[in-house]
Each structure stands twice: as structure tokens, then as C-alpha cells.
Amino acid sequence: MSEARVPGLRVLLPDAARYAGGASVGPEENAHWVPAKNRWSRVVLPFGGLVPEAWCHLGFQLGWAPEETAGSALDFALVGIDFLAEDGSSLDFDHVPGLDRTLLDPHGTWIAGPATLPPEMQGARAGRIHLAFRVPAPATRLTVTLRSWRNSAPFTVSEASLAQGPQLAPSPALIPRVRHRLGPEPAWIDHALVPGGGLVLRGQLYTPHPGAHAALARIVYRDRQGADLAPPYPGTISVPGLGALIDLSAHQQARRFTLELQPPAGAARVSVGFATWEADGPAVELLAPPEVALEDRLRLESLGADDLLGPTDFLARLAERLSLPGAAFAGWCPQPEAVAALPPVLARARAIQRGEGHRALGLDRALRLAGHPAWTVPEAPDWREDPFRSVPWRLEYQSLAWLGALAEAPGGGGAALALALSWSRANPWGAPTDGLALHPAALAARTETFVRLLARAGKPGGPAALTLTGEVVRHGFALAEITGQNTFGRSIHQIQAAATLWLVARALPLLPLAGHWLSLARAALDTGLAPLLDASGRFSDPSLHQRLELLTLLRALGLALDSDDAAESALKDRLDRAVAAGLPSLAGLLDPSGRLPPFGDAPHGEDAAGWIGRLGAEAGRALVAERWSEPPRPRRDRPGIPRVVSEPATGRIDPIAGLIAQRHDAPGRGWGHFACTFASQGQGPGPGHRDAGSFTYACEGVRWIVEAGGSSQVETGAARHHLLSAAGHNTATLQHRETTAGSTLYLGAERLIGATVHRLATQGHGPDIAHRRVFLVLDDLSGLVVLDRFTGPGGPLAFEAAAHLSPGILVALAGPRRAMAQSGRHRLSLSPVAITGRSAGLTLRNGCNAHPGALRGFVTAASGGLQPTSVLGYAFAGAGAVCGGLALAADADADQRLTALLEEAAFGRLLSED
């Protein structure tokens, strides 16, 4: 890689390495040796001179020992990233595109073992690792920590470098990052207090001029009637004109603060206002909203200690910590009729998603979960059951959400209550029978189920009521800590936790923590929505399924909020506006058979059209009927490009949603549909699917090109690696280089005679590579061409792209220049098209699984897992630049029209321009 040959490219090398846990200098120059001592063995590589708010590509050579036995582990090693200010202080960001939040390092990502390398790399003892992430401002430095994790033998790291190159313009689909800059006018947050308990706020300030008086936090305590309590307050100082406050310092390499608030007698609420001392003072910002927690003695870990407490014992210990009489906790049990009147949130969302008539468990104890066949629930389950070896099934089973419908069925209340109590006895807190019981989705759904069953638990203070109340309270503690610490920021799990915590606080009004939890939930819902879905209808998650789940959850929550409460009424209006902004774009992407393109995380088996129809009905709009009302928006005519002479296929080009969809459904011919995603990779939490630029295609009523789909949350092992990698999608991959996270930009649509041209630019192949993907789509969708153009710094350049065909379609190679696919009496021709460079052949693979890195020819099955299918690979090679692709035609006429358009000078100009 050369800076001179790639204008704008900056290559950064690490400063002096640091070692810990037995790691040391490697056997070769610029190499580092990391022993297999698990997590503490590490090498730390510092880098400086970064450009903030730009994508950064990390590359290094990973070498492993011949005796390595953990080659198939997806968490073979861990790369941790710590972002630093210019003075070397760590900066705490709640989200970094392309990376996960981790425990040992602020952000990071897992490195899979050598068995997951592409087939051509098998047998080697070293491989080049690539990953990318966006550097958040104001960071200008970082450290890269490479840790031992699952490896069974030492490994080496060498030739590490960071690179930043020319950046694409920001995509309209990206939600801009919010920066919390402070001024002299305070930015207030408000929380209810726990009687007799303190509150702890943790956060971090950034200022380019650290000092003893960087900012301040104004403190105002109020009583139950909302009247201000006069200072002085414990732990604060009083300043005329400002009242009680706490000075916030930001010293060099020490920018974090902890506010341990000690409420005065009679305080029921506290308002904390963050501000600068002076209007013209140094710039100061909060890097993220402060974390909110109770004092240590009221934290879940402290309450449980090392004891396996039952629910009632947990309530007794909580009463003791709150200095209440020993039997006081019996009064926390709610009245059954009051709980029965509360509208559930997650259950309502499931009803919208699956239909009101969906019932997982009938009175015959036949349980149907996650698309699997019926399974009979034992009379005395031990809660370790896993009859289908399925993660999705176990998640739903441990959530106990299936008990809600049973409890409401005639004669089912007793059975549902008995099963819930059985789960409680088998799962003391801290020792679950199945670790997936602690998954945030299962935790939130199970909490709501316990709340709903309180309506059937009999007399308040009785054994069943006390057990369920204890479970609700300790689940509530877990949800409150998830919510207050923003543990799953930019994830639907955070909204689920906050919504369920809101329900718990409403269900247990006599619990001393109810007011605190209610304010915590409201604050989390208010601040947690904007990063997921903004007022323009932009989503942070590129998955259409996850977007639809989020909208459904927001609608269910909006239906449950109290319109007579001013705060909840304002939140309800905001949720309604968010659903109204986000739903039409999803409805507009349904194909004529009612399916959404399965880009990103996409579990199978959902009736998307029915789901959207039910959600639209809840929102008061017949959105499915409106879904094709908007015409595409091609750019204006330009010199040398033919004017429109035919109507384009009906569809939607939506830069805000990051998707293209076109359909054709003329009489006498089967329907057609084309869809493509250009949502940026790494936009949501974690690295995500490598599917930017992937497409699906159907014509004459046949789904020819499909997406692998699947869910990164539930797939495991080699299947998960395949579904997330570029090999599981209809994308192009450079030889010997992994596709990374990065920006994707839609460059616009152009009209040709009888066709539309869509152009994309991506940065997922490295800062030294310019990549363009172009689709030429016929108006009647009888054919299309997909082309990829790669431009590099010089030297050999080769790529292979893939097209996954639907299972059940027969496909065969008719020579090195053509493949034929057949479904019934329908046929599709697939031919490579070389523009620059040469065609390097076709390959056809189906169910190849020699090792994890060699999985080719698989898509997800309806019930989860992988099923084999045919995938056509088409390759091209050149020097410095290479451009080629695949033409798909349903008949000879479509083939001729595509050929003619490819030869048009106007198309050539579109293909070559940037």
C-alpha cells in the first residue's frame, strides 16, 4: 500500500508496543508473541494522528501454531479498541460504527479462528486480518489491544497498520451522531429518588483545555409535592445566582466524573443540570448521557451477594436494606384487579406481529415455538429442555411469553401459574438452568409474564403472590441496571428493557423503588429512541425485520401509555410520529407475494404483509394498499442519455431507508420484483452482515436470486459466520481480502430506453480501493445486469461475486460463459459480462461445508439453521482496475435488450464516472 499511488491515503504505524500476561516481542521484526493464557495475555499497539469522524481500516498479519486446536472458534482472539484524546485520556463513547461494546476494552470485535479463512487460505500458517470502524470525534489517538481468548496455542501478530483514505459523502440513510455540547444554560435531567437511598451518576467530560473547573452540575431537590427544598445539600457547594452545585473537573488523562448524590430529608426527586461556568469559556461536551444507578447497597449484585436467594428472601433482604420492618414487603404485592387493568406491551407487540389468534401453548400442553413442530410440555419440566437443539426455541421457551395466552384461556390460569412457579423454583437468581434465560429479550418478556400472572396469583401476600412479586422485583432490578447504564444502546433490547421496567413500576406502586424505576424508564425511552429512529424515518439498524419489530414495539408501547399523564402523553405523541414516519418505507418494500427482502438479520417464517397490515390498522392507516403509490425518483435528464420512452417498473428508491425496490405485475405475465440494500455496513450495533449492495430478483412469479437471511442473534458456530460474511450474500469480494464495515452511498438513478440504472459506491474493501456497483434493470423486470468496478493502486486485482439461487431451482453450467436455471417451465439465463479485465470463470457450489471458512451454497431454512442451495460464483481479473458482472435474462428478448443497452455510449459513461 503506497500513499503516493493512492491520493489522500494515510497509513499509520504503531508506536512502541506494550505487553502483559506473558506476551512479548515476536520471533521476527515488528512481530509480537501472545501466549494462550486467555484474556490477560495481550499486546497493546498505540496509534496517533487519526482524523476524527472518518472511517479507519486496521490490518495485521495473524500467525498460528501447527498444533492449534481452536481453529473453528469464532472468538479465537479479541481485538479491543480504546479511543483517546490528544493527551492520552480514554474517551467513553456509547457507540462506534463497526465495533461492539466489550467488557475488557471499551469497544472491540472478535477474530475468528484460522479454520474460518476462505478456502484458498487453508493450509497456511498466517492470514491477513482486516476490520474497519468510524473514529468518533474528538478522538485523535487509539490503542489496539490483541488478546488471547479461545486459542489453545500461542499466536503472533505482525505488520499492523491503520489506514484512512478518501471518504464518501455522508449517506442520507445515516442518523447523524448527536454530540452533547454544554453551555451556560443547564441541560437538565430529572429522576425520582428511592426513600433513604442515594443516587449515583457517572459520565465523562471532554474539553480541549482540561482544568479544575471544566463544568458544573447544578443540583435541585424537591419534595413529593414538587416544591424545591432549600440548600445547602450534602456534598454540594452554594454559589449566589446558581444555587447548589458540584464542580466537575477534567484533568489531563482523568476526565470521568462520579456524582454520589446524598438526598436531604424529605427529598423525593432530584434535578441535575450540566453546564459550563462561563458563556465564553472553553468548549465542553458530555460524551454520552450519564449512567444512572442506585448506591452500591441497593445494587442487584450487592443484594444477592453469593447467596442463592428465593424470591421471598430477596424481598426480605431488600426491606432490610431500606430500613423497613421485616414484614413490610408483604404490602408490596399488588391487588389482582389493578394488575389485570394494566395493558401489556411486549405481549401486545407479539399479537400485532403474529396475529391475535396465535397461541403457542394450548390446553393440551402442545407447545409450538420458533417455527418448530409441537412439543409436549412435561408435567414437571426441569427447564433445561432443548428438544430441537435450537437457540431461537430456547430463547422463547425461557422467556415464558407463551404462558400469557394460556393464562387467559378458559381453565388455563392455574396451569400457567403452576408453570411460572416451577420456573422460579428451578432458577434461583445467579444460577439459571439455561444461560439463555438471562438474554435481554428473554428477561424482559419473562418479567412481563410474571406481572400478568400476578393478576391470577390469589390473595396479595399469599405464597404465590409473594413468589411472583419477588421475581418481578429482582427482574426489575436487572432491567433498571440495563436501562440506567444504557447496556444495549442502539438496540431494540434497550427499548424492551425500558418498556418492561415502566410496566413493573406501574404494577407495583407500593414498592419504594417504583417511582425511581418509572422515571428511569421514561428517561431511557425518551433518549433511547432517537439513535434508533429519527423524525425523518431513518433507522440505525439496516435489517428490515428489526425495523418492523421496533415500530411494532413502539406502537404497542404507545397504546399502553397514559394519555392523562402529561409526560406520558408527550412520549406517546412522539412514538406515534415515529411509527408514522418509519412504517410507509417498509410497506413500500413488500413484494407482490407479501414478503420483505431478507436483508440484514431476517428470521424466516414471518407473514410480513399481514404483520404490516395489522400494524397499519393499529396506526389508523391502510399502509399496505398505499405501498406502491410513490413513483421512483430518477435524476434529471443529462446530455447524452436517452430520454424516457417507457414507464419504469413501479417501485421505490429510498435513500433514507437505504433500499431500492422495483416491481412489475402486468396481466398475462407473472410478477417480478427487484430489491437492493445500500444501508451502510456497521451502521447498527456491532459489525453486522456484510450485505451492502446485495440484491434479490424475481420474475414471472419465480424467486430466482435470494438472500441467505438468518439472524446473528440466534445462529451459532459456522452457520453464524457464514450468514454474516460476504460469502453468504449476493455481493462481490476481492481476492484475499475480507469485506469490512464501511460507508455505502447511493449515487442516483438514471433512465435509459426501457430500463433504469442504479449506482452505488461502497468503502467496505479498504481505503486504497474504489468500488462501484451498478444495476441495469429492465422496466418489465424480465432481466437485469449487475456490474462491479474495482480500482486500486496498481498491480493485479481480482474479485469474485456470488448469486444465490432459491432452493429447488435446477441450475447447470452451459460452458465458461453461461449458466442456465430452471423452475418448472420457466428459465433464466445467467451470463458473465466483462467490461475491463477478463472473465475468470464460473463456479457452481451447493452445500459445500469442508470447514467453517469453506461454507458455500447455503441459505437459512424456514425453521432456522442452514439448508443447501446453489450459488453461482463469477470471477474477473485485471491490473489496476477490473469491471465485470452478471447478466440475468428470462428470455431471448430480454437478453438482446440488455446487450444493446450495455453497448450504449450513455451507459458506458454512467459506468465509468464517479
Side-chain angles (χ1 to χ4, degrees):
M1 189 183 298
S2 169
E3 296 187 49
R5 302 186 68 176
V6 182
L9 179 66
R10 302 171 64 251
V11 179
L12 308 173
L13 299 178
D15 297 330
R18 304 192 299 269
Y19 303 97
S24 63
V25 176
E28 301 173 357
E29 186 178 2
N30 296 322
H32 315 280
W33 184 79
V34 181
K37 292 186 178 179
N38 191 297
R39 81 183 57 186
W40 308 121
S41 300
R42 61 194 184 276
V43 55
V44 181
L45 305 175
F47 290 87
L50 297 169
V51 176
E53 296 302 323
W55 282 90
C56 183
H57 292 253
L58 170 66
F60 58 90
Q61 195 80 358
L62 183 72
W64 50 89
E67 64 271 18
E68 180 60 65
T69 60
S72 298
L74 299 187
D75 52 352
F76 179 82
L78 176 64
V79 177
I81 308 292
D82 187 7
F83 294 95
L84 311 174
E86 191 59 40
D87 64 8
S89 57
S90 295
L91 300 176
D92 298 333
F93 298 104
D94 59 350
H95 171 69
V96 175
L99 298 175
D100 285 308
R101 294 177 70 180
T102 59
L103 293 176
L104 295 181
D105 303 286
H107 301 275
T109 190
W110 300 107
I111 300 299
T116 62
L117 291 173
E120 62 269 18
M121 297 295 294
Q122 294 304 311
R125 291 297 172 212
R128 188 75 181 171
I129 304 298
H130 297 270
L131 59 101
F133 47 87
R134 188 174 176 87
V135 179
T140 57
R141 306 177 60 83
L142 61 80
T143 59
V144 176
T145 301
L146 293 114
R147 295 181 183 272
S148 167
W149 202 263
R150 196 73 69 182
N151 55 305
S152 64
F155 62 79
T156 59
V157 175
S158 60
E159 302 176 27
S161 65
L162 289 177
Q164 290 184 297
Q167 302 289 316
L168 291 174
S171 170
L174 290 174
I175 298 176
R177 175 173 164 247
V178 176
R179 299 183 65 177
H180 307 275
R181 294 180 173 89
L182 301 181
E185 189 64 30
W188 292 97
I189 61 174
D190 183 77
H191 283 283
L193 299 168
V194 176
L199 198 65
V200 180
L201 276 67
R202 294 185 177 90
Q204 187 178 34
L205 297 171
Y206 171 78
T207 174
H209 306 287
H213 306 288
L216 59 92
R218 293 177 58 179
I219 310 295
V220 178
Y221 289 102
R222 296 182 175 89
D223 61 20
R224 291 188 179 278
Q225 286 70 43
D228 292 359
L229 297 178
Y233 307 138
T236 68
I237 61 176
S238 295
V239 176
L242 296 178
L245 58 85
I246 299 174
D247 181 51
L248 301 178
S249 62
H251 295 290
Q252 188 175 19
Q253 297 189 6
R255 303 171 183 271
R256 295 177 178 85
F257 63 83
T258 299
L259 304 182
E260 296 183 352
L261 303 181
Q262 304 166 27
R269 302 190 70 86
V270 63
S271 293
V272 182
F274 294 94
T276 57
W277 282 97
E278 300 174 351
D280 56 353
V284 182
E285 69 175 293
L286 281 170
L287 292 186
E291 297 179 3
V292 181
L294 296 175
E295 58 185 320
D296 284 347
R297 67 188 182 90
L298 294 177
R299 299 290 298 274
L300 182 59
E301 183 179 9
S302 174
L303 286 166
D306 294 327
D307 304 321
L308 297 180
L309 297 177
T312 305
D313 294 333
F314 181 85
L315 293 177
R317 180 166 294 179
L318 176 59
E320 178 188 353
R321 294 287 173 90
L322 294 173
S323 302
L324 296 174
F329 63 84
W332 299 343
C333 297
Q335 296 296 324
E337 58 274 12
V339 177
L342 290 175
V345 178
L346 303 187
R348 183 60 179 161
R350 283 191 299 273
I352 296 173
Q353 178 174 349
R354 301 174 182 178
E356 292 283 359
H358 176 83
R359 178 169 293 162
L361 180 65
L363 295 177
D364 58 354
R365 303 182 74 88
L367 184 63
R368 297 170 180 84
L369 298 177
H372 288 283
W375 173 78
T376 302
V377 178
E379 288 294 332
D382 64 11
W383 302 102
R384 294 182 176 87
E385 291 81 6
D386 184 13
F388 303 104
R389 297 289 185 264
S390 167
V391 170
W393 191 93
R394 287 165 58 201
L395 276 174
E396 285 205 52
Y397 185 59
Q398 295 294 332
S399 76
L400 302 187
W402 42 277
L403 290 180
L406 176 64
E408 295 173 358
L417 184 61
L419 286 167
L421 296 175
S422 167
W423 188 95
S424 178
R425 289 191 297 271
N427 289 271
W429 198 265
T433 55
D434 186 336
L436 283 177
L438 300 181
H439 188 282
L443 181 73
R446 189 170 59 249
T447 307
E448 184 177 272
T449 298
F450 285 142
V451 169
R452 296 174 69 188
L453 289 175
L454 276 169
R456 302 175 181 277
K459 179 182 176 181
L466 277 175
T467 297
L468 289 182
T469 300
E471 286 291 1
V472 170
V473 171
R474 60 184 179 183
H475 278 63
F477 268 96
L479 294 171
E481 294 183 9
I482 288 173
T483 301
Q485 297 173 22
N486 196 31
T487 305
F488 297 100
R490 285 184 174 255
S491 166
I492 193 174
H493 299 319
Q494 191 73 16
I495 304 295
Q496 289 171 335
T500 309
L501 185 63
W502 170 86
L503 181 67
V504 169
R506 293 281 302 274
L508 303 178
L510 299 179
L511 180 72
L513 293 100
H516 171 67
W517 285 354
L518 188 61
S519 66
L520 197 65
R522 287 175 175 173
L525 291 169
D526 187 54
T527 60
L529 177 59
L532 296 174
L533 173 62
D534 71 2
S536 301
R538 288 181 291 195
F539 295 85
S540 64
D541 198 319
S543 163
L544 300 183
H545 179 90
Q546 295 293 342
R547 294 178 181 187
L548 191 50
E549 274 206 312
L550 175 62
L551 292 176
T552 305
L553 176 60
L554 298 182
R555 183 56 186 158
L557 178 59
L559 293 171
L561 291 172
D562 185 1
S563 299
D564 294 330
D565 182 286
E568 292 193 6
S569 178
L571 179 58
K572 176 182 175 65
D573 289 343
R574 187 180 173 198
L575 297 181
D576 289 345
R577 290 195 300 272
V579 174
L583 188 54
S585 63
L586 288 176
L589 296 169
L590 288 168
D591 69 18
S593 69
R595 294 190 191 179
L596 283 173
F599 299 126
D601 269 21
H604 283 250
E606 297 288 355
D607 173 19
W611 182 358
I612 290 176
R614 289 186 291 272
L615 181 55
E618 292 283 3
R621 297 181 62 188
L623 288 164
V624 175
E626 300 174 6
R627 65 180 181 266
W628 296 108
S629 61
E630 290 190 18
R633 294 170 286 180
R635 287 164 56 181
R636 55 184 171 80
D637 290 338
R638 295 164 52 192
I641 297 181
R643 301 182 69 83
V644 176
V645 297
S646 66
E647 289 299 319
T650 309
R652 181 186 295 269
I653 303 167
D654 196 340
I656 295 297
L659 288 141
I660 304 166
Q662 290 182 226
R663 65 172 274 174
H664 188 78
D665 199 7
R669 185 166 193 162
W671 59 268
H673 190 261
F674 163 75
C676 169
T677 177
F678 52 92
S680 293
Q681 297 177 156
Q683 177 176 331
H689 289 251
R690 298 291 183 259
D691 63 350
S694 187
F695 70 102
T696 59
Y697 173 62
C699 69
E700 296 184 327
V702 178
R703 299 181 189 278
W704 295 105
I705 307 300
V706 298
E707 260 284 284
S711 172
S712 63
Q713 303 245 354
V714 297
E715 303 293 348
T716 59
R720 183 178 190 275
H721 181 268
H722 171 71
L723 293 173
L724 293 180
S725 71
H729 304 288
N730 302 315
T731 57
T733 306
L734 280 174
Q735 189 176 25
H736 302 315
R737 185 178 296 203
E738 300 173 61
T739 305
T740 67
S743 296
T744 305
L745 185 64
Y746 183 64
L747 300 179
E750 301 285 357
R751 291 289 293 138
L752 298 181
I753 298 175
T756 303
V757 179
H758 303 282
R759 300 188 304 128
L760 306 175
T762 73
Q763 280 192 318
H765 303 277
D768 57 332
I769 300 293
H771 174 233
R772 301 292 182 266
R773 172 159 269 209
V774 177
F775 292 94
L776 171 63
V777 186
L778 295 180
D779 288 344
D780 61 2
L781 291 181
S782 60
L784 66 84
V785 178
V786 52
L787 293 165
D788 289 281
R789 191 191 81 196
F790 290 91
T791 306
L797 201 60
F799 77 90
E800 183 178 26
H804 291 76
L805 288 102
S806 183
I809 288 179
L810 300 176
V811 62
L813 298 180
R817 306 253 177 226
R818 185 176 296 268
M820 295 299 299
Q822 182 171 347
S823 177
R825 56 186 179 85
H826 300 289
R827 293 187 177 185
L828 185 74
S829 168
L830 304 99
S831 307
V833 177
I835 305 295
T836 303
R838 66 185 186 281
S839 176
L842 296 175
T843 59
L844 192 59
R845 301 166 186 163
N846 190 304
C848 299
N849 62 352
H851 52 81
L855 259 64
R856 299 294 185 273
F858 287 97
V859 295
T860 51
S863 59
L866 299 181
Q867 64 173 325
T869 193
S870 296
V871 58
L872 181 68
Y874 51 100
F876 298 87
V882 59
C883 180
L886 191 68
L888 299 86
D891 51 39
D893 177 64
D895 199 2
Q896 292 171 4
R897 284 188 286 155
L898 290 173
T899 301
L901 288 167
L902 288 172
E903 294 173 352
E904 287 279 353
F907 179 75
R909 282 191 289 273
L910 286 175
L911 189 61
S912 61
E913 72 176 18
D914 290 326

